[in-house]
Amino acid sequence: MIIVIRPHTPPDKIEEVIREVSQLGYAPNPIRGDYQTVVAAIGDETTHASLESLTALPQVEKVLRVQKRYKLASREAKTAPTVVDASGVKIGGDEFVLMAGPCSVESADQLMQCARAVKAAGATVLRGGAYKPRTSPYEFQGLGAEGLRMLEEARQETGLRIITEVLSERDVDAVARVADILQIGARNCQNFQLLIACARSGKPVLLKRGMSMKIEEWLLAAEYILAHGNPKVILCERGIRTFETYTRNTLDLAAVAIAKQETHLPVVVDPSQGCGRADLVKALCRGAVAVGADGLLVEVHPNPAEALSDGQQQLDPSAFAEMVEGLRPLLSASSRHLATQR
Ligand code: PEP
Ligand code: MN
């Protein structure tokens, strides 16, 4: 870390900072300029106390971090990309993975119609929320355990793998019995007890970016799952809240490129929450491929106008199939192809 001391600080006050740095377990190396002194503190920032508290001293102007705060997730720790195996579906390799299905599981019939349609179009993973976080708690919150049973039936009939959200630590075991991938939603990305419980389940975990989360905070949350012994982490960009009103969220495709550069983890894009508009989903899916994402999580409903949640952003089956066909040439241009069901 670098501690920048204010100009014109008397020598005894500079010595005080140097003493504090040693006290906290770092080797202090003062660099004295005519005007200002900086102290380079040598030591592993991940195992020692942070020196950021030194800004409490009036003579300290600022403290700058040199090391990244996440290690296990970083490309420096592991250069080869991580390929997450979700019951045979591989996410993060050469294949591009399509995860699709309704925002919420609403009925056995709705889910099954959707599962057949997304499978026919090329998806290998079925999404569908049994437990739904909502913008307002007075809206439909999902069918819960009954929804999980419907997902299980859809898995049995179609062979599609299942991704579904877990909202609470209490439900991790029940959801993990059915799901091939546990989804941690934007509203829960920093619910650290839930992250620990999901890590311990041993299941692949798809970690959405929180809607007001910096990229670093998102990667630190991913790091926390890795640090709790679960290497099967998939990052998911789903848009952040900005001042823009044309879209529900602002899909941050730069964050996808950054996450791919900074980490070895697979990154997928959710264009549905990402913009909240069905008419933009196709374009954003193309953008996701172009920017190097490893897959998509797309909301598809047999009849979006009757959806119990997020109807405005769900594709109908034919729009989904058309979108997938449009991706094929883009994928082959980057020497990739759609994952197929095994
Ligand atoms: C969803 O996938 O339907 C959902 C609620 O996602 P998010 O957590 O990104 O809002
Ligand atoms: Mn949704």
Side-chain angles (χ1 to χ4, degrees):
M1 287 200 164
I2 308 285
I3 297 107
V4 181
I5 298 178
R6 289 187 199 283
H8 313 301
T9 297
D12 62 320
K13 291 288 172 197
I14 297 179
E15 288 311 311
E16 185 188 354
V17 174
I18 293 172
R19 271 198 311 279
E20 282 294 344
V21 168
S22 313
Q23 194 79 36
L24 289 164
Y26 291 79
N29 286 280
I31 303 154
R32 298 175 206 269
D34 289 342
Y35 179 67
Q36 211 167 356
T37 294
V38 300
V39 180
I42 313 296
D44 187 350
E45 292 162 27
T46 53
T47 53
H48 286 89
S50 166
L51 295 182
E52 273 149 5
S53 58
L54 292 182
T55 46
L57 296 173
Q59 67 270 45
V60 172
E61 188 174 293
K62 57 188 165 191
V63 175
L64 305 168
R65 199 174 258 285
V66 177
Q67 267 180 314
K68 301 241 166 77
R69 290 162 84 186
Y70 45 88
K71 212 165 209 165
L72 300 171
S74 75
R75 281 268 177 198
E76 285 129 52
K78 180 171 179 280
T79 46
T82 289
V83 179
V84 172
D85 187 331
S87 316
V89 172
K90 304 233 167 52
I91 305 146
D94 295 337
E95 296 184 329
F96 189 83
V97 177
L98 285 178
M99 309 182 199
C103 175
S104 306
V105 177
E106 298 171 5
S107 69
D109 188 44
Q110 169 246 19
L111 185 66
M112 206 59 87
Q113 272 188 55
C114 208
R116 291 188 194 115
V118 299
K119 179 178 173 176
T124 49
V125 180
L126 177 65
R127 66 148 287 154
Y131 296 93
K132 292 304 301 176
R134 301 305 306 275
T135 304
S136 158
Y138 302 102
E139 293 169 342
F140 177 60
Q141 293 196 37
L143 298 177
E146 205 188 329
L148 290 180
R149 273 193 298 281
M150 293 170 186
L151 285 164
E152 188 155 27
E153 274 167 33
R155 189 185 198 283
Q156 269 163 16
E157 193 200 294
T158 61
L160 290 167
R161 309 309 191 264
I162 301 295
I163 177 168
T164 192
E165 178 162 354
V166 55
L167 271 181
S168 149
E169 292 156 67
R170 199 184 51 214
D171 302 323
V172 170
D173 289 343
V175 175
R177 272 195 289 279
V178 172
D180 299 285
I181 306 172
L182 301 177
Q183 175 176 326
I184 296 181
R187 291 160 190 78
N188 264 319
C189 190
Q190 284 172 308
N191 177 343
F192 299 133
Q193 294 309 313
L194 180 63
L195 301 193
I196 294 173
C198 288
R200 292 202 175 132
S201 75
K203 287 275 174 172
V205 178
L206 178 136
L207 182 69
K208 297 260 194 130
R209 179 181 179 187
M211 56 188 93
S212 59
M213 228 181 185
K214 291 183 184 175
I215 295 169
E216 188 190 39
E217 293 166 333
W218 180 35
L219 301 186
L220 281 170
E223 175 86 6
Y224 203 57
I225 301 172
L226 300 177
H228 282 85
N230 188 339
K232 297 177 216 153
V233 177
I234 304 156
L235 294 166
C236 178
E237 162 60 34
R238 50 77 75 201
I240 49 173
R241 276 206 176 150
T242 69
F243 50 82
E244 185 49 69
T245 54
Y246 273 43
T247 49
R248 177 182 179 187
N249 291 298
T250 297
L251 186 68
D252 184 3
L253 288 179
V256 177
I258 290 170
K260 290 293 294 176
Q261 224 169 62
E262 286 285 316
T263 80
H264 50 82
L265 300 172
V267 185
V268 307
V269 169
D270 174 346
S272 309
Q273 328 302 322
C275 67
R277 288 175 48 166
D279 63 333
L280 297 181
V281 165
K282 186 173 167 188
L284 294 179
C285 290
R286 294 164 70 92
V289 171
V291 87
D294 296 292
L296 290 166
L297 182 66
V298 184
E299 289 187 345
V300 180
H301 193 286
N303 185 358
E306 288 179 7
L308 296 182
S309 61
D310 288 349
Q312 75 293 348
Q313 68 194 32
Q314 304 206 54
L315 298 182
D316 64 28
S318 70
F320 178 70
E322 193 187 304
M323 181 283 286
V324 176
E325 286 318 301
L327 293 186
R328 290 186 195 277
L330 277 178
L331 284 168
S332 52
S334 51
S335 310
R336 289 185 295 166
H337 54 275
L338 275 188
T340 50
Q341 195 168 318
R342 291 183 182 82

